[in-house]
Amino acid sequence: MTKIPACSECNIEDSIFCTLTPEQTEFISENKGSNFYKKGQAVFYEGNQSHGLFCIFKGKVKLSKLGENGKEQVIRFAKTGNILGYRSLFSNEPYQATATVLEDSYICHLSKEKYTSLMRDNPKLSWKTMQLLAKDLKSAEQHLINIAQKTVKERIAEALLLLQSTFGYTEDGESLSVTLTRSEIADIAGTTTETTIRTLAILGKENAIKLEGKRIIIPDLEALIKIAGLYD
Amino acid sequence: MQLAMSLNSFHQITEKQFIHSNLDVIKIKKNTVLFSENNKLDYIFFLSNGELIIKINKHKLWRVNDKEFIGITSYFTDETSYTYTVEASKNSTIVKIEVDDFKEAINNSIELSNFIMDSLCKRIKLTLQD
């Protein structure tokens, strides 16, 4: 089992905690808790009371919520270095989503009181937190627009691009480094599993992707970006 | 700095107090566009009274009718232009704040930061419920 190091030894780039002073980093190390989660295990559930913030030391996490029809809606993914549970922390509401581990993961926990005291002492941390929230809001808005304006094919292409930009490729430089079921991909794109299976097959025929069991290969990223209707 | 100080607890200020403050308060009529998608992001706005509609690609996204900052999503995601269009759906009173003053105010007020974080969280919740 991996030993979780002190926060000062955590070399995660772009972490929200990169703005902290050595003393503040030491403060987190002394006050955090750490846990190992098996694949499929929940870190927290939608509706549970929030007590703090989670930071992924190593792993991959899916955040999802149940829609009115009982169907799961994937809100976002988180990877090594990302934080979870911050929205409920600032809105003083229960968790708005369930966090489920996609692969065996090591996750640290910091209480609400400790995090807010750090924000009081470090305006850069508040700033980073506001940036995270704004980014989440932008993604939620984009998802809403996509559902209203984009075709299922465009949405599924965009879901694959989201997975690629979040988790990247495996060592072969082409295969998505996260493995999801067709049903989970459907939950990201806001469609049914059957439609997702059909659409992935169409994308395969157009050589935008290759399917090998659960593994998805993206040989032509540009083609997929074009299909998704993203031109940046 | 004076502006930053007056912004410190501005979210509790009434419309009348805003008009008599040293802040740049503007009144816009129903159906007037406050700013459009791709306009340069020079100001953050705060709705004091009235109602605004936020649109992206002509798609109506939100209706804002409570004290709330406008333009912060674009600002905090490091955009140099607004990523949406804002139009008044009722006659509205709005405080106009230069981005540098806004940044200074946030750096000087944890209360203001908390207010913004709370607003963003509420907005995310509403967006995900749609």
Side-chain angles (χ1 to χ4, degrees), chain A residues 157-189:
Chain A
E158 196 165 348
L160 298 178
L161 290 169
L162 170 72
L163 295 173
Q164 188 274 332
S165 65
T166 309
F167 299 115
Y169 297 118
T170 57
E171 284 174 0
D172 67 12
E174 282 191 335
S175 307
L176 288 178
S177 81
V178 64
T179 310
L180 297 184
T181 63
R182 301 298 189 251
S183 165
E184 285 173 318
I185 295 171
D187 293 337
I188 308 170

Side-chain angles (χ1 to χ4, degrees), chain B residues 13-92:
Chain B
I13 298 175
T14 64
E15 186 188 359
K16 198 175 172 187
Q17 286 170 315
F18 266 130
I19 290 167
H20 291 100
S21 72
N22 59 349
L23 295 168
D24 189 0
V25 179
I26 54 171
K27 284 184 173 274
I28 60 168
K29 288 200 179 297
K30 183 182 173 180
N31 299 330
T32 306
V33 172
L34 179 63
F35 59 78
S36 298
E37 208 169 334
N38 298 324
N39 280 176
K40 192 165 177 274
L41 198 164
D42 287 327
Y43 298 97
I44 298 295
F45 299 90
F46 182 77
L47 175 66
S48 168
N49 185 270
E51 188 178 85
L52 303 172
I53 286 181
I54 316 281
K55 297 178 191 173
I56 296 183
N57 295 336
K58 295 178 184 171
H59 181 89
K60 284 182 189 173
L61 212 55
W62 327 324
R63 195 176 286 273
V64 182
N65 51 20
D66 199 5
K67 290 183 188 299
E68 191 166 325
F69 282 104
I70 311 296
I72 52 173
T73 323
S74 309
Y75 179 64
F76 283 115
T77 50
D78 295 330
E79 301 285 351
T80 51
S81 308
Y82 296 106
T83 47
Y84 39 83
T85 297
V86 177
E87 190 180 307
S89 44
K90 289 181 184 169
N91 294 343
S92 301

